[in-house]
Amino acid sequence: MGDCDMVRLEHAVRFLQLRGGDVNGDFDGVPASQLAVFPGTTHFFGLARTSLVLDVVLGFLDAPAG
């Protein structure tokens, strides 16, 4: 999501928590559920900045299952 998104950050964080994210990764390990917040962007920024989105999404998909 973007930090200037129409979706409120609190809602995205709550969804992350419901999916098992928002834990202390140093002690619990990095969860499968993650949240990316892109600075200075809106909900539809991905149409204009596809390389940034692609890099983050591929990094997530390529990460070893935890």
Side-chain angles (χ1 to χ4, degrees):
M1 72 175 293
D3 64 350
C4 301
D5 207 313
M6 66 182 166
V7 177
R8 292 184 20 215
L9 182 57
E10 303 86 52
H11 289 177
V13 170
R14 182 64 184 135
F15 186 70
L16 173 71
Q17 292 167 334
L18 291 170
R19 299 292 300 157
D22 193 28
V23 298
N24 185 332
D26 290 327
F27 295 110
D28 301 324
V30 176
S33 180
Q34 298 177 20
L35 173 65
V37 180
F38 298 98
T41 59
T42 67
H43 192 72
F44 298 105
F45 89 98
L47 299 173
R49 299 179 65 189
T50 54
S51 61
L52 177 61
V53 175
L54 184 62
D55 187 45
V56 171
V57 170
L58 290 179
F60 173 78
L61 294 175
D62 290 341

